[in-house]
mmCIF file of all heavy atoms in Angstrom:
data_model
loop_
_atom_site.group_PDB
_atom_site.id
_atom_site.type_symbol
_atom_site.label_atom_id
_atom_site.label_comp_id
_atom_site.label_asym_id
_atom_site.label_seq_id
_atom_site.Cartn_x
_atom_site.Cartn_y
_atom_site.Cartn_z
ATOM 1 N N SER V 1 -18.296 16.520 103.459
ATOM 2 C CA SER V 1 -17.120 16.460 104.314
ATOM 3 C C SER V 1 -17.540 16.661 105.765
ATOM 4 O O SER V 1 -18.640 17.138 106.059
ATOM 5 C CB SER V 1 -16.112 17.545 103.910
ATOM 6 O OG SER V 1 -16.688 18.839 104.025
ATOM 7 N N ALA V 2 -16.650 16.289 106.660
ATOM 8 C CA ALA V 2 -16.920 16.444 108.095
ATOM 9 C C ALA V 2 -16.878 17.926 108.467
ATOM 10 O O ALA V 2 -16.203 18.724 107.807
ATOM 11 C CB ALA V 2 -15.883 15.670 108.902
ATOM 12 N N PRO V 3 -17.577 18.312 109.520
ATOM 13 C CA PRO V 3 -17.514 19.700 109.984
ATOM 14 C C PRO V 3 -16.067 20.109 110.265
ATOM 15 O O PRO V 3 -15.307 19.362 110.884
ATOM 16 C CB PRO V 3 -18.353 19.695 111.261
ATOM 17 C CG PRO V 3 -19.296 18.538 111.087
ATOM 18 C CD PRO V 3 -18.515 17.497 110.328
ATOM 19 N N GLY V 4 -15.692 21.262 109.782
ATOM 20 C CA GLY V 4 -14.346 21.756 110.023
ATOM 21 C C GLY V 4 -13.316 21.335 108.996
ATOM 22 O O GLY V 4 -12.164 21.797 109.046
ATOM 23 N N PHE V 5 -13.696 20.458 108.041
ATOM 24 C CA PHE V 5 -12.707 19.989 107.059
ATOM 25 C C PHE V 5 -12.196 21.132 106.196
ATOM 26 O O PHE V 5 -10.981 21.254 105.965
ATOM 27 C CB PHE V 5 -13.296 18.896 106.166
ATOM 28 C CG PHE V 5 -12.439 18.587 104.965
ATOM 29 C CD1 PHE V 5 -11.265 17.865 105.116
ATOM 30 C CD2 PHE V 5 -12.781 19.039 103.693
ATOM 31 C CE1 PHE V 5 -10.448 17.593 104.024
ATOM 32 C CE2 PHE V 5 -11.980 18.768 102.602
ATOM 33 C CZ PHE V 5 -10.810 18.043 102.763
ATOM 34 N N ALA V 6 -13.095 21.958 105.679
ATOM 35 C CA ALA V 6 -12.680 23.052 104.793
ATOM 36 C C ALA V 6 -11.705 23.980 105.513
ATOM 37 O O ALA V 6 -10.695 24.417 104.935
ATOM 38 C CB ALA V 6 -13.902 23.820 104.288
ATOM 39 N N ASP V 7 -11.968 24.274 106.770
ATOM 40 C CA ASP V 7 -11.065 25.135 107.542
ATOM 41 C C ASP V 7 -9.714 24.449 107.764
ATOM 42 O O ASP V 7 -8.657 25.086 107.675
ATOM 43 C CB ASP V 7 -11.693 25.490 108.893
ATOM 44 C CG ASP V 7 -12.882 26.426 108.757
ATOM 45 O OD1 ASP V 7 -12.986 27.117 107.714
ATOM 46 O OD2 ASP V 7 -13.722 26.473 109.682
ATOM 47 N N ALA V 8 -9.749 23.137 108.054
ATOM 48 C CA ALA V 8 -8.497 22.399 108.271
ATOM 49 C C ALA V 8 -7.666 22.350 106.991
ATOM 50 O O ALA V 8 -6.435 22.499 107.022
ATOM 51 C CB ALA V 8 -8.809 20.982 108.757
ATOM 52 N N LEU V 9 -8.337 22.170 105.852
ATOM 53 C CA LEU V 9 -7.617 22.116 104.582
ATOM 54 C C LEU V 9 -7.064 23.489 104.213
ATOM 55 O O LEU V 9 -5.936 23.597 103.727
ATOM 56 C CB LEU V 9 -8.554 21.604 103.479
ATOM 57 C CG LEU V 9 -7.906 21.285 102.132
ATOM 58 C CD1 LEU V 9 -6.840 20.206 102.289
ATOM 59 C CD2 LEU V 9 -8.951 20.839 101.114
ATOM 60 N N GLN V 10 -7.834 24.529 104.480
ATOM 61 C CA GLN V 10 -7.363 25.882 104.204
ATOM 62 C C GLN V 10 -6.141 26.213 105.059
ATOM 63 O O GLN V 10 -5.166 26.817 104.576
ATOM 64 C CB GLN V 10 -8.499 26.885 104.464
ATOM 65 C CG GLN V 10 -8.288 28.260 103.837
ATOM 66 C CD GLN V 10 -7.362 29.140 104.648
ATOM 67 O OE1 GLN V 10 -7.299 29.015 105.867
ATOM 68 N NE2 GLN V 10 -6.649 30.040 103.989
ATOM 69 N N ALA V 11 -6.180 25.788 106.309
ATOM 70 C CA ALA V 11 -5.045 26.039 107.204
ATOM 71 C C ALA V 11 -3.809 25.248 106.757
ATOM 72 O O ALA V 11 -2.682 25.730 106.864
ATOM 73 C CB ALA V 11 -5.424 25.670 108.635
ATOM 74 N N ALA V 12 -4.035 24.029 106.251
ATOM 75 C CA ALA V 12 -2.919 23.175 105.836
ATOM 76 C C ALA V 12 -2.273 23.661 104.542
ATOM 77 O O ALA V 12 -1.055 23.539 104.372
ATOM 78 C CB ALA V 12 -3.396 21.735 105.671
ATOM 79 N N LEU V 13 -3.095 24.213 103.631
ATOM 80 C CA LEU V 13 -2.593 24.579 102.306
ATOM 81 C C LEU V 13 -2.418 26.080 102.106
ATOM 82 O O LEU V 13 -1.659 26.506 101.238
ATOM 83 C CB LEU V 13 -3.538 24.041 101.226
ATOM 84 C CG LEU V 13 -3.777 22.532 101.206
ATOM 85 C CD1 LEU V 13 -4.747 22.177 100.093
ATOM 86 C CD2 LEU V 13 -2.471 21.772 101.039
ATOM 87 N N GLY V 14 -3.184 26.864 102.847
ATOM 88 C CA GLY V 14 -3.105 28.309 102.669
ATOM 89 C C GLY V 14 -3.700 28.804 101.372
ATOM 90 O O GLY V 14 -3.253 29.824 100.828
ATOM 91 N N VAL V 15 -4.703 28.090 100.847
ATOM 92 C CA VAL V 15 -5.364 28.493 99.603
ATOM 93 C C VAL V 15 -6.874 28.528 99.826
ATOM 94 O O VAL V 15 -7.384 28.047 100.836
ATOM 95 C CB VAL V 15 -5.029 27.527 98.445
ATOM 96 C CG1 VAL V 15 -3.525 27.459 98.212
ATOM 97 C CG2 VAL V 15 -5.579 26.123 98.724
ATOM 98 N N ARG V 16 -7.591 29.075 98.840
ATOM 99 C CA ARG V 16 -9.040 29.129 98.931
ATOM 100 C C ARG V 16 -9.625 27.723 98.784
ATOM 101 O O ARG V 16 -9.156 26.925 97.964
ATOM 102 C CB ARG V 16 -9.623 30.024 97.831
ATOM 103 C CG ARG V 16 -9.131 31.458 97.887
ATOM 104 C CD ARG V 16 -9.865 32.331 96.854
ATOM 105 N NE ARG V 16 -9.834 31.750 95.516
ATOM 106 C CZ ARG V 16 -8.838 31.924 94.657
ATOM 107 N NH1 ARG V 16 -7.775 32.645 95.003
ATOM 108 N NH2 ARG V 16 -8.887 31.400 93.459
ATOM 109 N N ILE V 17 -10.668 27.433 99.548
ATOM 110 C CA ILE V 17 -11.371 26.155 99.462
ATOM 111 C C ILE V 17 -12.813 26.453 99.037
ATOM 112 O O ILE V 17 -13.513 27.220 99.693
ATOM 113 C CB ILE V 17 -11.374 25.400 100.809
ATOM 114 C CG1 ILE V 17 -9.946 25.301 101.374
ATOM 115 C CG2 ILE V 17 -12.000 24.029 100.641
ATOM 116 C CD1 ILE V 17 -8.967 24.542 100.510
ATOM 117 N N HIS V 18 -13.231 25.851 97.935
ATOM 118 C CA HIS V 18 -14.588 26.038 97.426
ATOM 119 C C HIS V 18 -15.348 24.720 97.572
ATOM 120 O O HIS V 18 -14.856 23.670 97.144
ATOM 121 C CB HIS V 18 -14.573 26.454 95.957
ATOM 122 C CG HIS V 18 -13.789 27.700 95.681
ATOM 123 N ND1 HIS V 18 -14.195 28.930 96.113
ATOM 124 C CD2 HIS V 18 -12.616 27.885 95.019
ATOM 125 C CE1 HIS V 18 -13.316 29.845 95.731
ATOM 126 N NE2 HIS V 18 -12.351 29.232 95.068
ATOM 127 N N THR V 19 -16.518 24.757 98.162
ATOM 128 C CA THR V 19 -17.329 23.555 98.315
ATOM 129 C C THR V 19 -18.606 23.691 97.495
ATOM 130 O O THR V 19 -19.133 24.794 97.326
ATOM 131 C CB THR V 19 -17.683 23.314 99.785
ATOM 132 O OG1 THR V 19 -18.419 24.438 100.283
ATOM 133 C CG2 THR V 19 -16.427 23.127 100.623
ATOM 134 N N GLY V 20 -19.093 22.572 96.992
ATOM 135 C CA GLY V 20 -20.315 22.592 96.202
ATOM 136 C C GLY V 20 -20.541 21.248 95.555
ATOM 137 O O GLY V 20 -19.740 20.312 95.713
ATOM 138 N N PRO V 21 -21.630 21.096 94.806
ATOM 139 C CA PRO V 21 -21.901 19.821 94.138
ATOM 140 C C PRO V 21 -20.943 19.575 92.975
ATOM 141 O O PRO V 21 -20.385 20.529 92.413
ATOM 142 C CB PRO V 21 -23.343 19.996 93.625
ATOM 143 C CG PRO V 21 -23.498 21.479 93.463
ATOM 144 C CD PRO V 21 -22.688 22.092 94.560
ATOM 145 N N ARG V 22 -20.752 18.333 92.652
ATOM 146 C CA ARG V 22 -19.928 17.969 91.495
ATOM 147 C C ARG V 22 -20.570 18.528 90.228
ATOM 148 O O ARG V 22 -21.761 18.331 89.998
ATOM 149 C CB ARG V 22 -19.816 16.453 91.406
ATOM 150 C CG ARG V 22 -18.850 15.945 90.344
ATOM 151 C CD ARG V 22 -19.051 14.460 90.110
ATOM 152 N NE ARG V 22 -20.346 14.198 89.481
ATOM 153 C CZ ARG V 22 -20.875 12.988 89.320
ATOM 154 N NH1 ARG V 22 -20.250 11.929 89.758
ATOM 155 N NH2 ARG V 22 -22.043 12.839 88.737
ATOM 156 N N PRO V 23 -19.826 19.226 89.395
ATOM 157 C CA PRO V 23 -20.413 19.781 88.166
ATOM 158 C C PRO V 23 -20.745 18.684 87.157
ATOM 159 O O PRO V 23 -20.241 17.555 87.248
ATOM 160 C CB PRO V 23 -19.316 20.710 87.640
ATOM 161 C CG PRO V 23 -18.056 20.186 88.240
ATOM 162 C CD PRO V 23 -18.413 19.593 89.568
ATOM 163 N N ALA V 24 -21.581 19.029 86.204
ATOM 164 C CA ALA V 24 -21.919 18.085 85.141
ATOM 165 C C ALA V 24 -20.671 17.789 84.307
ATOM 166 O O ALA V 24 -19.838 18.674 84.082
ATOM 167 C CB ALA V 24 -23.019 18.655 84.257
ATOM 168 N N PRO V 25 -20.526 16.558 83.858
ATOM 169 C CA PRO V 25 -19.347 16.206 83.057
ATOM 170 C C PRO V 25 -19.459 16.747 81.636
ATOM 171 O O PRO V 25 -20.560 16.967 81.121
ATOM 172 C CB PRO V 25 -19.376 14.674 83.065
ATOM 173 C CG PRO V 25 -20.844 14.345 83.166
ATOM 174 C CD PRO V 25 -21.428 15.401 84.058
ATOM 175 N N HIS V 26 -18.316 16.955 81.038
ATOM 176 C CA HIS V 26 -18.274 17.368 79.635
ATOM 177 C C HIS V 26 -17.022 16.771 79.010
ATOM 178 O O HIS V 26 -15.904 17.163 79.373
ATOM 179 C CB HIS V 26 -18.255 18.883 79.502
ATOM 180 C CG HIS V 26 -18.404 19.349 78.091
ATOM 181 N ND1 HIS V 26 -19.624 19.427 77.447
ATOM 182 C CD2 HIS V 26 -17.480 19.733 77.173
ATOM 183 C CE1 HIS V 26 -19.458 19.856 76.224
ATOM 184 N NE2 HIS V 26 -18.158 20.041 76.025
ATOM 185 N N PRO V 27 -17.166 15.812 78.094
ATOM 186 C CA PRO V 27 -15.986 15.175 77.501
ATOM 187 C C PRO V 27 -15.098 16.188 76.802
ATOM 188 O O PRO V 27 -15.588 17.116 76.153
ATOM 189 C CB PRO V 27 -16.591 14.178 76.499
ATOM 190 C CG PRO V 27 -17.972 13.918 77.011
ATOM 191 C CD PRO V 27 -18.421 15.216 77.607
ATOM 192 N N PRO V 28 -13.785 16.045 76.919
ATOM 193 C CA PRO V 28 -12.865 16.982 76.257
ATOM 194 C C PRO V 28 -12.898 16.809 74.746
ATOM 195 O O PRO V 28 -13.252 15.747 74.225
ATOM 196 C CB PRO V 28 -11.504 16.590 76.832
ATOM 197 C CG PRO V 28 -11.668 15.144 77.214
ATOM 198 C CD PRO V 28 -13.083 14.999 77.664
ATOM 199 N N HIS V 29 -12.528 17.878 74.045
ATOM 200 C CA HIS V 29 -12.500 17.807 72.574
ATOM 201 C C HIS V 29 -11.422 16.831 72.095
ATOM 202 O O HIS V 29 -11.625 16.084 71.140
ATOM 203 C CB HIS V 29 -12.260 19.200 71.989
ATOM 204 C CG HIS V 29 -13.372 20.165 72.252
ATOM 205 N ND1 HIS V 29 -14.650 19.995 71.741
ATOM 206 C CD2 HIS V 29 -13.412 21.299 72.976
ATOM 207 C CE1 HIS V 29 -15.423 20.987 72.135
ATOM 208 N NE2 HIS V 29 -14.702 21.788 72.893
ATOM 209 N N ALA V 30 -10.273 16.863 72.751
ATOM 210 C CA ALA V 30 -9.183 15.950 72.393
ATOM 211 C C ALA V 30 -9.300 14.696 73.245
ATOM 212 O O ALA V 30 -9.162 14.749 74.463
ATOM 213 C CB ALA V 30 -7.838 16.626 72.618
ATOM 214 N N ARG V 31 -9.579 13.583 72.616
ATOM 215 C CA ARG V 31 -9.758 12.331 73.340
ATOM 216 C C ARG V 31 -8.420 11.760 73.802
ATOM 217 O O ARG V 31 -7.373 12.024 73.217
ATOM 218 C CB ARG V 31 -10.493 11.312 72.455
ATOM 219 C CG ARG V 31 -11.897 11.754 72.056
ATOM 220 C CD ARG V 31 -12.801 11.844 73.270
ATOM 221 N NE ARG V 31 -14.107 12.378 72.963
ATOM 222 C CZ ARG V 31 -15.138 11.648 72.529
ATOM 223 N NH1 ARG V 31 -14.989 10.349 72.344
ATOM 224 N NH2 ARG V 31 -16.293 12.212 72.290
ATOM 225 N N SER V 32 -8.481 10.919 74.821
ATOM 226 C CA SER V 32 -7.267 10.337 75.378
ATOM 227 C C SER V 32 -6.742 9.176 74.537
ATOM 228 O O SER V 32 -5.569 8.836 74.611
ATOM 229 C CB SER V 32 -7.530 9.837 76.800
ATOM 230 O OG SER V 32 -8.426 8.733 76.774
ATOM 231 N N HIS V 33 -7.625 8.528 73.781
ATOM 232 C CA HIS V 33 -7.281 7.365 72.939
ATOM 233 C C HIS V 33 -6.879 6.139 73.752
ATOM 234 O O HIS V 33 -6.260 5.210 73.216
ATOM 235 C CB HIS V 33 -6.180 7.711 71.936
ATOM 236 C CG HIS V 33 -6.547 8.830 71.006
ATOM 237 N ND1 HIS V 33 -7.584 8.723 70.104
ATOM 238 C CD2 HIS V 33 -6.043 10.083 70.868
ATOM 239 C CE1 HIS V 33 -7.693 9.865 69.428
ATOM 240 N NE2 HIS V 33 -6.782 10.703 69.876
ATOM 241 N N LEU V 34 -7.210 6.112 75.043
ATOM 242 C CA LEU V 34 -6.971 4.902 75.820
ATOM 243 C C LEU V 34 -7.857 3.780 75.292
ATOM 244 O O LEU V 34 -9.027 3.995 74.946
ATOM 245 C CB LEU V 34 -7.275 5.146 77.294
ATOM 246 C CG LEU V 34 -6.280 6.022 78.063
ATOM 247 C CD1 LEU V 34 -6.816 6.334 79.454
ATOM 248 C CD2 LEU V 34 -4.916 5.344 78.161
ATOM 249 N N LEU V 35 -7.313 2.577 75.248
ATOM 250 C CA LEU V 35 -8.072 1.426 74.763
ATOM 251 C C LEU V 35 -7.522 0.162 75.410
ATOM 252 O O LEU V 35 -6.406 -0.265 75.104
ATOM 253 C CB LEU V 35 -7.967 1.310 73.233
ATOM 254 C CG LEU V 35 -8.717 0.150 72.587
ATOM 255 C CD1 LEU V 35 -10.226 0.270 72.803
ATOM 256 C CD2 LEU V 35 -8.400 0.061 71.099
ATOM 257 N N PRO V 36 -8.286 -0.455 76.331
ATOM 258 C CA PRO V 36 -7.821 -1.712 76.928
ATOM 259 C C PRO V 36 -7.583 -2.768 75.853
ATOM 260 O O PRO V 36 -8.307 -2.835 74.850
ATOM 261 C CB PRO V 36 -8.982 -2.107 77.853
ATOM 262 C CG PRO V 36 -9.700 -0.826 78.140
ATOM 263 C CD PRO V 36 -9.577 -0.021 76.894
ATOM 264 N N ALA V 37 -6.571 -3.600 76.065
ATOM 265 C CA ALA V 37 -6.247 -4.634 75.085
ATOM 266 C C ALA V 37 -7.438 -5.567 74.850
ATOM 267 O O ALA V 37 -7.681 -6.005 73.725
ATOM 268 C CB ALA V 37 -5.032 -5.433 75.551
ATOM 269 N N ALA V 38 -8.203 -5.872 75.916
ATOM 270 C CA ALA V 38 -9.362 -6.746 75.763
ATOM 271 C C ALA V 38 -10.414 -6.117 74.853
ATOM 272 O O ALA V 38 -11.059 -6.807 74.051
ATOM 273 C CB ALA V 38 -9.969 -7.053 77.129
ATOM 274 N N ALA V 39 -10.591 -4.801 74.955
ATOM 275 C CA ALA V 39 -11.543 -4.107 74.085
ATOM 276 C C ALA V 39 -11.058 -4.114 72.644
ATOM 277 O O ALA V 39 -11.850 -4.282 71.701
ATOM 278 C CB ALA V 39 -11.755 -2.680 74.567
ATOM 279 N N ALA V 40 -9.757 -3.942 72.453
ATOM 280 C CA ALA V 40 -9.196 -3.988 71.105
ATOM 281 C C ALA V 40 -9.397 -5.368 70.482
ATOM 282 O O ALA V 40 -9.719 -5.487 69.286
ATOM 283 C CB ALA V 40 -7.715 -3.636 71.152
#
């Protein structure tokens, strides 16, 4: 993010802002069951 973004967002929302790398993904236990018609 640009310098000052975290402070600007904190001022706009009034909540804690945490910055860091994107965590590793982990698929949920309950699947969404989405299926494009073309795939079906």
Side-chain angles (χ1 to χ4, degrees):
S1 60
F5 168 74
D7 290 339
L9 189 60
Q10 197 280 330
L13 302 179
V15 302
R16 300 186 309 275
I17 309 298
H18 303 291
T19 60
R22 187 193 68 189
H26 188 80
H29 295 296
R31 298 295 175 86
S32 67
H33 301 296
L34 288 172
L35 180 63

